[in-house]
């Protein structure tokens, strides 16, 4: 049997899928199929009668356009309220605590069994499931349970989400999932709900058909969110996919107010909350977040895994591998798990014109090839009167040391043979300087490509000290893995960075090797021994700016993990209750930074172990000997 994938006006593609189709229709197209609605999760499903919500849900085939409404499509199994248009994600179930839910479930498929999970009282210790044969129907009755953000799903055949994919031909069917929100009694919903769904299928021997969506659409076709300066935005984000996603907000911090999973949700106390710019979301997890934009302009909220936001993530992506061609189109360098936010300026607002007190020049250039990466690129800071040699590179790129509160202009001069762009990750700045070409800015003033032999000046306001990142935001896969990333350390006025007590580690990828990626830390795969002074406090700053995966940092003595004190995450100081000394091991996802302190270090030999973890497997491990004397 085959799946038929068609772009209107183009030839039909016939794709063999083998004997088990997991709900994908075969044979001739069925013109009577309903078109899937992209569900913005604004309207709750079902009908309330007293304190009972009556739901009538079914799984049936429908036609899905994950990008433009007249773009490429496929026929997939979807969730729907009986008698209404099907949707991706599935219909929103939203009730107040104390509600009884009476759900009638139907399997309208003819060639696959389905299993519903997540339709049960929360919290729970195990996941209830209801298995339905083709044409079968069943009714459930249960109490909604405690307030929180949850999800429900249906799975087809023998497929069981959210087990992470382990083989190149693994098919993902996470479009059959929806949000399940329980509100407190008397609460008036004033938030938005966003669900991450993934549909993925082999397209040919070298690629896949991908649909990576938020609320049923893939960038640049996702909903454009609108806000005003000073508005408080509350979001519930649900990862209904089988993959982890580090979700990153440009230009602002957001407050994590709750975290949960399929079975339970945990509302954080004031002492447990923290400010972040990147938050890891494992498979099946949920977060509740809040933030308040205090600057107008265009901003992004997106997954920071490069493979999930590149043109290759498009539903009809070409079979060719990622190439520098993606650097030449400001409108064609992102796709997938991305949301755009437009913050409207207040009346009378004008762009800031105050002149910065510090001027820096940063050159983007290419040098001799090294290791696995096909090219060697770097941002190189001009440190004297003369620019750096045109072929000189620093791996990673030059570390930038800036001062809190000191307005700083950084002019980026491009010596590459292709365009580039720079994103100042975690920095609170004006939108135009944020670094997303073709998007950052306001009105008609939009950040351009930094063309070859051209330049762009970014204005950094630097309201807080901490550990940050800067990196390319164009042709990410090639430019990022070739070295276009670096650390940005903001210090308090009157202080200097002391490398004898302040230790910086920047982890990235050496080239794009999806199966066995090579990790680089501070530009190398070998870490030289570090001699430090005992009896002093030592700060360790950790950055992960790889393409995918997690980097685990641990400090050991005699094979035992020592203790350290957490100081900051993503450049924001942690609340005092979260700075309690604990075991010296930390997972850092892509786009995260962490600061820790080793207090009153005793003389002896220690070891810093840095491990790259992808799909629960350690793909590379680096060790550094630390001698405290």
């Amino acid at each position: 049997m085959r799946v038929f994938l068609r772009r209107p006006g183009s030839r039909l593609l016939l794709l063999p899928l083998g004997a088990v189709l997991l709900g994908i229709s075969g044979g001739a197209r069925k013109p009577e199929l309903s078109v899937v609605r992209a569900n913005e999760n604004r309207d709750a499903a079902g009908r309330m009668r007293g304190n009972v919500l009556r739901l009538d849900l079914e799984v049936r085939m429908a036609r899905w356009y994950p990008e433009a409404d007249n773009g490429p499509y496929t026929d997939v199994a979807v969730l729907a309220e009986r008698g209404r248009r099907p949707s991706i994600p599935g219909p929103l179930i939203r009730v107040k605590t104390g509600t009884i839910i009476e759900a009638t479930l139907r399997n309208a498929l003819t060639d696959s069994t389905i299993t519903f999970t997540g339709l049960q009282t929360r919290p729970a210790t195990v996941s209830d499931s209801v298995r339905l044969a083709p044409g079968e129907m069943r009714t459930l009755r249960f109490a909604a349970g405690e307030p929180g953000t949850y999800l429900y799903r249906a799975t087809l055949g023998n497929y069981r989400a959210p087990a992470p994919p382990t083989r190149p031909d693994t098919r993902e069917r996470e479009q059959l999932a929806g949000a399940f929100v329980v509100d407190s009694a008397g609460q008036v919903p004033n938030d938005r709900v966003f669900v991450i769904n993934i549909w993925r299928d082999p397209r040919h021997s070298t690629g896949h058909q991908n649909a990576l969506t938020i609320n049923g659409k893939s960038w640049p076709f996702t909903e454009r969110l609108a806000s005003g300066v000073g508005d408080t935005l509350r979001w519930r984000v649900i990862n209904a996919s089988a993959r982890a996603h580090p979700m990153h907000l440009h230009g602002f911090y957001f407050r994590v107010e709750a975290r949960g999973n399929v079975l339970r949700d945990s509302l954080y106390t004031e002492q447990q909350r923290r400010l972040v710019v990147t938050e890891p979301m494992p498979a099946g997890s949920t977060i509740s977040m809040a933030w308040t934009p205090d600057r107008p302009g265009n901003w992004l909220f997106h997954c920071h895994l490069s493979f999930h936001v590149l043109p290759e993530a498009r539903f009809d992506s070409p079979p060719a591998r990622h190439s520098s061609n993606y650097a030449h189109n400001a409108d064609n360098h992102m796709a997938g798990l991305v949301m755009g936010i437009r913050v409207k300026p207040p009346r009378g607002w004008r762009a800031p014109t105050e002149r910065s007190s510090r001027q820096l020049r940063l050159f983007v250039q290419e040098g001799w090839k090294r290791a696995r990466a096909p090219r060697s690129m770097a941002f190189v800071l001009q440190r004297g009167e003369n620019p750096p040699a045109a072929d000189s590179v620093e791996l990673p790129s030059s570390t930038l040391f800036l001062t809190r509160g000191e307005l700083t202009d950084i002019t980026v001069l491009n010596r590459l043979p292709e365009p580039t762009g720079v994103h100042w990750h975690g920095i609170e700045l004006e939108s135009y300087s944020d670094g997303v070409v073709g998007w950052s800015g306001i009105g008609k003033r939009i950040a351009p490509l930094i063309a070859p032999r051209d330049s762009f000046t970014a204005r950094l306001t630097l309201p807080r000290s901490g550990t940050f990142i800067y990196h390319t935001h164009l042709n990410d896969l090639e430019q990022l893995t070739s070295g276009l990333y670096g650390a940005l350390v903001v210090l308090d006025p009157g202080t200097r960075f002391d490398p004898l007590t302040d230790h910086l580690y920047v982890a990235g990828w050496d080239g794009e090797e999806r199966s066995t990626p090579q990790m680089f830390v501070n530009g190398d795969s070998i870490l030289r021994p570090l001699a430090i002074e005992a009896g002093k406090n030592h700060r360790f700053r950790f950055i992960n700016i790889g393409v995918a995966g997690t980097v685990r940092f641990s400090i050991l003595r005699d094979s035992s993990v020592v203790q350290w004190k957490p100081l900051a995450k993503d450049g924001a100081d942690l609340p005092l209750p979260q700075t309690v000394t604990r075991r010296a091991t930390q997972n850092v996802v892509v786009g995260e930074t962490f600061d820790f302190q080793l207090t009153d270090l005793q003389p002896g030999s220690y070891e810093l172990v840095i491990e790259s973890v992808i799909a629960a497997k350690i793909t590379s491990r680096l060790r550094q000997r630390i001698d405290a004397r």
Side-chain angles (χ1 to χ4, degrees):
M1 194 177 291
R2 300 176 180 179
V3 167
F4 294 74
L5 299 169
R6 184 196 300 271
R7 174 185 287 277
S10 66
R11 292 183 300 172
L12 194 66
L13 299 177
L14 305 182
L15 305 181
L17 291 182
V20 181
L21 293 206
L22 302 179
I24 306 302
S25 65
R29 285 282 187 184
K30 297 180 180 181
E32 70 274 11
L33 287 180
S34 299
V35 173
V36 171
R37 172 178 62 91
N39 186 3
E40 295 183 355
N41 286 304
R42 294 177 183 270
D43 301 315
R47 293 177 298 173
M48 288 294 301
R49 291 184 179 177
N51 73 329
V52 177
L53 175 73
R54 287 184 168 83
L55 283 171
D56 198 347
L57 298 177
E58 65 180 6
V59 174
R60 68 176 190 256
M61 296 301 298
R63 182 161 297 170
W64 184 27
Y65 294 80
E67 295 178 350
D69 291 340
N70 61 350
Y73 59 79
T74 187
D75 294 347
V76 295
V78 291
L79 286 158
E81 284 192 85
R82 187 171 174 83
R84 298 188 178 184
R85 279 181 64 185
S87 66
I88 296 177
L92 168 65
I93 302 174
R94 186 159 199 171
V95 297
K96 295 188 183 300
T97 184
T99 301
I100 302 299
I101 297 176
E102 189 176 281
T104 299
L105 311 177
R106 290 178 173 84
N107 180 1
L109 303 178
T110 60
D111 59 354
S112 178
T113 61
I114 60 172
T115 301
F116 279 94
T117 56
L119 295 173
Q120 64 189 107
T121 303
R122 303 312 206 288
T125 55
V126 295
S127 181
D128 290 346
S129 62
V130 177
R131 188 175 178 87
L132 302 177
E136 189 176 358
M137 178 181 70
R138 192 175 304 179
T139 298
L140 305 178
R141 186 180 175 89
F142 60 94
E146 296 182 1
T149 306
Y150 312 100
L151 68 95
Y152 72 100
R153 68 170 74 247
T155 56
L156 295 132
N158 296 321
Y159 180 73
R160 292 292 181 268
T166 57
R167 304 186 310 277
D169 64 345
T170 297
R171 298 175 177 90
E172 297 177 67
R173 294 292 183 272
E174 285 87 32
Q175 84 279 2
L176 282 164
F180 184 174
V181 177
V182 181
D183 293 312
S184 300
Q187 176 183 346
V188 177
N190 63 344
D191 53 29
R192 289 297 309 274
V193 178
F194 303 107
V195 180
I196 297 170
N197 300 93
I198 293 181
W199 183 92
R200 180 176 183 265
D201 208 78
R203 182 177 184 180
H204 36 61
S205 60
T206 60
H208 289 79
Q209 194 86 358
N210 299 292
L212 295 90
T213 64
I214 300 177
N215 282 0
K217 287 292 186 179
S218 180
W219 178 271
F221 304 98
T222 48
E223 177 190 358
R224 293 294 188 274
L225 307 175
S227 171
V229 170
D231 291 348
T232 296
L233 306 180
R234 299 185 182 277
W235 295 352
R236 299 175 188 259
V237 185
I238 299 172
N239 179 11
S241 79
R243 298 175 181 267
H245 303 287
M247 300 305 295
H248 171 57
L249 178 65
H250 281 222
F252 303 93
Y253 284 86
F254 59 92
R255 184 174 65 252
V256 181
E257 298 188 332
R259 287 191 63 94
N261 54 34
V262 177
L263 299 175
R264 61 182 61 247
D265 197 10
S266 298
L267 181 66
Y268 286 172
T269 66
E270 193 66 35
Q271 293 180 338
Q272 292 172 318
R273 294 175 181 176
R274 61 185 182 276
L275 292 176
V276 304
V277 299
T278 305
E279 183 70 3
M281 293 196 67
S285 67
T286 69
I287 63 169
S288 295
M289 55 179 280
W291 63 288
T292 301
D294 61 358
R295 282 153 284 127
N298 298 338
W299 309 95
L300 291 183
F301 180 67
H302 67 91
C303 175
H304 216 284
L305 300 183
S306 294
F307 301 120
H308 291 176
V309 294
L310 294 176
E312 290 176 354
R314 286 202 167 91
F315 186 69
D316 60 341
S317 58
R321 302 289 285 179
H322 197 78
S323 72
S324 59
N325 290 333
Y326 292 137
H328 294 278
N329 189 337
D331 300 322
N332 194 40
H333 68 98
M334 289 188 302
L337 301 179
V338 184
M339 297 287 290
I341 307 103
R342 290 191 172 106
V343 179
K344 183 180 179 180
R347 180 173 296 181
W349 178 87
R350 292 184 179 181
T353 58
E354 183 179 359
R355 182 178 177 83
S356 295
S357 55
R358 188 180 182 192
Q359 311 285 325
L360 298 177
R361 286 159 59 89
L362 193 66
F363 288 80
V364 194
Q365 44 199 52
E366 185 170 357
W368 294 101
K369 179 183 179 303
R370 51 91 169 125
R372 295 185 181 184
R375 304 168 68 184
S376 180
M377 309 181 202
F379 298 107
V380 182
L381 181 66
Q382 180 175 331
R383 294 181 173 87
E385 294 183 359
N386 298 318
D391 60 351
S392 66
V393 294
E394 301 175 13
L395 301 175
S397 298
S398 300
T399 299
L400 304 180
F401 296 102
L402 308 179
T403 301
R404 176 173 57 84
E406 182 180 36
L407 299 179
T408 302
D409 282 358
I410 301 182
T411 299
V412 182
L413 302 99
N414 185 13
R415 287 175 166 176
L416 297 179
E418 68 207 53
T420 190
V422 187
H423 169 50
W424 311 95
H425 183 114
I427 299 295
E428 299 154 283
L429 74 178
E430 64 169 354
S431 177
Y432 183 71
S433 298
D434 189 48
V436 183
V437 300
W439 174 254
S440 296
I442 187 169
K444 296 182 179 180
R445 186 172 181 257
I446 301 298
L449 296 161
I450 309 178
R453 298 179 298 280
D454 204 349
S455 65
F456 178 84
T457 299
R459 293 173 51 90
L460 307 187
T461 51
L462 310 170
R464 70 181 73 219
S465 57
T467 306
F468 305 95
I469 318 168
Y470 71 101
H471 61 84
T472 180
H473 215 296
L474 191 70
N475 190 20
D476 292 27
L477 200 54
E478 183 170 285
Q479 293 188 1
L480 192 65
T481 60
S482 296
L484 286 187
Y485 61 87
L488 193 160
V489 178
V490 182
L491 303 171
D492 287 330
T495 63
R496 296 177 61 86
F497 183 85
D498 183 0
L500 297 179
T501 57
D502 207 332
H503 314 287
L504 178 63
Y505 295 86
V506 183
W509 277 24
D510 173 30
E512 193 257 298
E513 294 287 342
R514 300 192 188 202
S515 56
T516 56
Q518 174 68 39
M519 177 176 57
F520 261 18
V521 175
N522 293 347
D524 207 338
S525 59
I526 299 175
L527 299 179
R528 297 179 180 179
L530 175 66
I532 61 179
E533 185 176 351
K536 287 192 172 183
N537 294 335
H538 290 265
R539 188 182 190 114
F540 286 80
R541 304 175 188 258
F542 299 126
I543 293 173
N544 179 3
I545 190 57
V547 171
T550 298
V551 178
R552 181 185 300 131
F553 295 87
S554 305
I555 295 182
L556 294 78
R557 184 177 187 184
D558 298 329
S559 300
S560 297
V561 177
V562 302
Q563 300 278 308
W564 61 18
K565 178 182 178 180
L567 298 178
K569 171 176 159 45
D570 296 341
D573 292 342
L574 291 170
L576 188 60
Q578 298 182 37
T579 61
V580 177
T581 300
R582 61 174 175 83
R583 295 177 76 248
T585 185
Q586 179 66 49
N587 289 339
V588 183
V589 301
V590 176
E592 275 190 312
T593 76
F594 276 93
D595 290 36
F596 295 93
Q597 184 181 77
L598 286 181
T599 304
D600 195 20
L601 199 63
Q602 300 299 307
S605 181
Y606 299 79
E607 186 178 43
L608 172 63
V609 180
I610 307 175
E611 298 166 314
S612 175
V613 183
I614 298 179
K617 296 182 179 179
I618 297 176
T619 59
S620 58
R621 179 185 288 116
L622 307 183
R623 300 178 183 272
Q624 181 183 46
R625 179 175 173 176
I626 301 176
D627 293 318
R629 303 168 182 170

